[in-house]
Amino acid sequence: MDRRKLIGIGAGLAVLPAWWALRQVENGAEEDWHTDIAPLEQAFPLLGPLTDAKWVSSRDNDRSGVPSPELVISGFARLAPGKLAELTAAHAFVSDESADDYFSSWFEKPLKGEGPKNPQWIRSQELDRDGDGDGDGHHTSLWFDRRSETVRFRALNPYG
């Protein structure tokens, strides 16, 4: 390969990160999280319809360079009015403040401080999924805040 081509390729690679950052700002990607609710309603049909969401994925800006078959989604979503009352009437719930300490992965860092203020988390083991012992690698944890009708979720391979 001649020297001019190598210089051209090198210059192109040097400009690529700046171009990508400008495109993100231009496309309104100022936040480090997703706000679309359709994927969450697909992953958690029992919770729908949802009215608002902030969530991240383990495949967002993956820095590891190693492809992983596992997908983790984590975040907050607002339930429709009355949905939490419907769920608490049908399932057993207990207090569980562990949701506040559950942002342990690198990709969850943008969510710190984004949840409801002074939440009182409750949880139902009936609504959590542990893969049913069939080795399919699914796991879902859900926490609910009664005050804000917000659900805090973390799910491994939520789409099957």
Side-chain angles (χ1 to χ4, degrees):
M1 194 177 285
D2 83 345
R3 186 175 177 171
R4 288 184 188 158
K5 285 184 183 178
L6 285 175
I7 291 172
I9 291 171
L13 290 175
V15 172
L16 188 60
W19 171 82
W20 182 84
L22 288 173
R23 288 227 7 155
Q24 295 290 30
V25 170
E26 178 183 303
N27 292 333
E30 297 173 8
E31 311 299 348
D32 290 331
W33 55 74
H34 302 275
T35 57
D36 45 335
I37 60 175
L40 302 180
E41 289 177 340
Q42 179 185 355
F44 314 117
L46 186 64
L47 303 180
L50 301 172
T51 62
D52 187 35
K54 286 184 181 177
W55 60 279
V56 293
S57 160
S58 60
R59 294 187 183 153
D60 294 341
N61 302 318
D62 188 0
R63 298 179 196 111
S64 69
V66 178
S68 171
E70 294 182 341
L71 169 68
V72 178
I73 60 173
S74 181
F76 301 98
R78 181 78 47 98
L79 302 172
K83 186 64 178 185
L84 184 55
E86 178 186 316
L87 291 170
T88 56
H91 303 280
F93 280 82
V94 297
S95 293
D96 185 346
E97 297 300 318
S98 66
D100 294 331
D101 300 323
Y102 215 73
F103 295 114
S104 58
S105 296
W106 63 268
F107 70 93
E108 294 173 306
K109 300 297 184 216
L111 295 173
K112 284 195 180 273
E114 291 298 323
K117 302 300 178 213
N118 302 315
Q120 292 183 342
W121 297 113
I122 58 174
R123 190 171 183 184
S124 173
Q125 288 190 344
E126 296 171 29
L127 298 177
D128 287 351
R129 293 183 296 198
D130 275 324
D132 304 322
D134 59 7
D136 63 2
H138 299 281
H139 180 80
T140 299
S141 298
L142 303 170
W143 297 265
F144 300 85
D145 177 36
R146 286 185 191 265
R147 292 183 190 168
S148 64
E149 295 208 19
T150 297
V151 60
R152 162 74 176 100
F153 59 88
R154 189 169 203 275
L156 170 64
N157 297 326
Y159 302 110

